[in-house]
Every structure is written in structure tokens, then in C-alpha cells.
Amino acid sequence: MLVLLALPALLASPVWLMAVVLKLLSAALPGRRPDWAVDLLRWCAVMAAVAAVGLYLIGLGAVDLAAHESESGTDSAPSPSCRDVPPDVRHHLAGYRPSYVPLGFDCVLDDGTTFSSSALYTWLNGLVAAFGLGAAALMVAWGFATERRARAVSPAPQPAPRP
């Protein structure tokens, strides 16, 4: 089921990339609006959040697909994701453990130890965290820039006259 969520995210990735490139080009060219910097901060924060959600959905789909491959079919044991190991380790495979937070698919050996089936999940977790933290930092920066701009536009309060 989660694979169905990952497909639109995967197909939307090139559209996201083109939107980012076009926005950065429009910010670099002359003829910008006076408030382009604040607008660019907000836009980048939204795009970073979209990237974090999209990458997480792609990762969810990858974990779900690996779990589905391990549960169905005549060639499902040992898990296809855990087969890229030396033959002496392959004989000790006892199962698998999918993880959705953080993303991961661990192979379990008969002595209870685990190892990651792929380094892809480490990269996906790192990128999701980086884009998520970047989105949060950009939203904070956008809030500060908006507040600073509002204070610069509004007149300073005058002290009340003394009698």
C-alpha cells in the first residue's frame, strides 16, 4: 500500500527539481520585486518541506516493497533484500525487521544480531532530516525577516507629551 504513495512522489521529483531551478534563475535575473528576498525564504522553506515529505514517502515505499517481497511468493525466504551477503552468513539468516521511523530494513541472524540490508536507508534518513531541519530553519528566518520588515515599515511609537 505504501508503494502506491511512493510512486507519485517519485514521479513528482523531476517537477520539483525544475521548479527549484526556475525559481533560483528568476531570483538571479534582474527585474525582481522589492520583497523578493522574503518571498524566496518562504518559497525555499516550502520546497524543503516538500522535499522532506517526498523523500520520506519514497523511503516508505522502498521499505514496504522490501517487506512485501519478503512475505509473498515462492522465493521469499530468505528475504531478497538480505541475500547480498556471503554464503556463510546467508545460512544464518532468520528473518527481517522493517522500520518505518527511522526508515530501514534490517536482516536478522539466528543469534539475534541484525545488519542493514542497504545503505540507501541511511542516506534517505539523512536527507529527510536535513531537508526537514532546513525547512524549519528557513521558516524561522522567514518569520524574522517578516517581523523586521514590518517594524521597518511601521512608524516608531512617539512618547506621550509631559504636562
Side-chain angles (χ1 to χ4, degrees), residues 40-57:
L40 187 63
L41 273 175
R42 181 175 42 91
W43 190 86
C44 287
V46 169
M47 285 294 115
V50 166
V53 170
L55 283 172
Y56 188 72
L57 287 175

Side-chain angles (χ1 to χ4, degrees), residues 66-158:
H68 178 70
E69 284 181 337
S70 302
E71 293 170 354
S72 59
T74 57
D75 194 27
S76 61
S79 174
S81 298
C82 299
R83 291 182 187 166
D84 294 336
V85 294
D88 58 329
V89 176
R90 183 186 278 187
H91 295 307
H92 295 285
L93 286 173
Y96 63 92
R97 189 178 311 148
S99 172
Y100 297 103
V101 178
L103 296 170
F105 191 83
D106 295 334
C107 303
V108 180
L109 299 176
D110 53 8
D111 63 356
T113 60
T114 62
F115 64 92
S116 180
S117 67
S118 174
L120 168 74
Y121 301 113
T122 305
W123 281 97
L124 279 174
N125 286 325
L127 287 172
V128 167
F131 276 117
L133 291 173
L138 287 167
M139 286 302 285
V140 169
W142 174 67
F144 282 135
T146 304
E147 179 67 24
R148 191 175 111 215
R149 186 167 173 230
R151 286 184 183 183
V153 171
S154 67
Q158 300 293 329

